[in-house]
Amino acid sequence: MKHFLSIADLTPEQFRGLLTLAIKLKEEQKSGSGRPLLKGKTLGMVFQKPSLRTRVSFEMGMIQLGGQALYLSPFEIQLGKRESVADVSRVLSRYVDGIMARVFGHADIVTLAEYAGVPVINGLSDYNHPCQGAADFLTIVENKGQDLKGRKLVFVGDGNNVVTSLLFGATLLGMDFTITGPRGYEMPPGVWALGQKFAAQSGSHIAATTDVHAAVEGADVIYADVWASMGQEEEAAERARIFEPYQVNEALLAEAKDDVIAMHCLPAHRGQEITDGVCDGPHSVLWDQAENRMHAQKAILVELMADESQ
Ligand code: CP
Ligand code: NVA
C-alpha cells in the first residue's frame, strides 16, 4: 500500500490485514503497551473543510505512535488557490513523512498523491471517506465477529461519500449491503458497478431500494449519515423535506434484527436523519465508532509510514 485513497484500491486480504492490525494496536493502547512505531515521524494534515473526529483522531494517533501531526487549516494552504495542488504536494513532501488531506473534489487528493514523495491519506472527499469506512468495519467486526458472510448492512439516506466506502468495505468482506433512499439520490453508477464487481468476487449480495421498511428487514447494522453533506448546505432545506421518510428512529430499528447495531459517522443532526432515542439507546455504537477512527487510522499510518511492517 503506497497511499490510502479508497477502500476499493485494496484487496480483501489487505483490508482484513488492516483491521487485524487496528485490533492489535487498540489492544496494545488499552493495556498500556503501545509502541512508538512512528517515532520521529510527522504527518501534515491539510483541511479544506471543518472536522472534529478526523483532526483529533489523526493527531492523537500520531502522538500515541511517538510522532507528531501538523494541522493546516482551510485558510492556510488554500489548495489550488494560493498555489497549485501539485506544487503543494511537492513542497509538503519535503517537510513531512506523510500527508492526510480532507478535500472537496476527489481529483485534488488524487493529484496530491500523484506528486507526493510521501504517502497520502484521504481524510474525506466528495467521492468517499475511506478512514471512516475502516473504522466502521472495525466496529462491525467487534460487534458481529470476523465472518460477515450473510450479515446485512443497511444504509439509510443519501448515496454519498460515506456510503461509498461502506459499499466497498462490505463487498470486499463478503457482507450483504442495501442502500435505501429517495429517487434521485442514489449512489453514482460507477461506484455501484465497482460494488457489484467486488460482490461477485466475495459472494455478497447488494441491493438498492426506495422502500425503507423492506430494506431494514433482517438488518444486522443500520447506518445513517447527514442528508446534506459539507458543500451541499444550500440544498439542506429541500433535502430535509425529501429525506423525511428516511429517518432512523426507534420504530425503524424495531423492524430490524433484535440485536441490530445503529451507526452514524457523526456529526449527527439529531431529530433529522437520526433521533436522540437511537443515538443514546441500547443499539447505538456511535461512540465506539468515533473512538475507532483513531485505532483504524493508526493501522493505516503504521502500514504506510512505519520503517518495519507490523
Ligand atoms: N466522521 C467524521 O469524519 O467527522 P469529522 O467531520 O468531525 O472529522
Ligand atoms: N457525508 C458527510 C460526512 C461527514 C463526516 C459530509 O461529507 O459532510
Side-chain angles (χ1 to χ4, degrees), residues 18 35 67 70 90 95 106 134 139 170 193 210 225 249 262:
L18 207 56
R35 292 167 291 156
L70 289 176
R90 290 180 175 112
Y95 299 133
H106 188 71
T139 312
T210 54
D225 185 13
N249 51 39

Side-chain angles (χ1 to χ4, degrees), residues 105-128:
H106 188 71
D108 283 348
I109 196 97
V110 173
T111 305
L112 276 175
E114 193 181 341
Y115 292 93
V118 297
V120 173
I121 299 170
N122 178 2
L124 179 146
S125 70
D126 58 358
Y127 171 62
N128 64 351

Side-chain angles (χ1 to χ4, degrees), residues 47 50-55 102 123-124 129 132 162 230 265-267 293:
F47 283 88
S51 169
L52 164 59
R53 280 145 290 272
T54 305
R55 190 249 162 107
R102 165 167 286 194
L124 179 146
H129 197 358
Q132 183 68 52
V162 167
M230 290 180 276
C265 56
L266 303 173
R293 287 292 304 274

Side-chain angles (χ1 to χ4, degrees), residues 232-285:
Q232 299 172 331
E233 286 78 8
E234 72 290 349
E235 293 175 39
E238 188 193 0
R239 283 172 175 256
R241 193 170 37 77
I242 294 169
F243 281 87
E244 209 196 320
Y246 296 94
Q247 183 185 65
V248 173
N249 51 39
E250 286 159 289
L252 192 70
L253 283 197
E255 295 177 37
K257 280 193 185 157
D258 291 344
D259 64 350
V260 66
I261 56 169
M263 300 182 72
H264 192 305
C265 56
L266 303 173
H269 292 161
R270 288 168 175 248
Q272 283 202 10
E273 78 275 0
I274 194 165
T275 57
D276 286 335
V278 173
C279 288
D280 306 324
H283 298 279
S284 168
V285 295

Side-chain angles (χ1 to χ4, degrees), residues 1 22 35 57 63 66 95 104 133 139 157 180 186 191 197 205 241 243 250 260 270 297 304:
M1 231 164 67
R35 292 167 291 156
S57 58
I63 291 171
Y95 299 133
F104 282 102
T139 312
T180 180
E186 295 88 0
V191 169
K197 186 180 114 186
H205 301 282
R241 193 170 37 77
F243 281 87
E250 286 159 289
V260 66
R270 288 168 175 248
Q297 288 158 195
L304 293 175

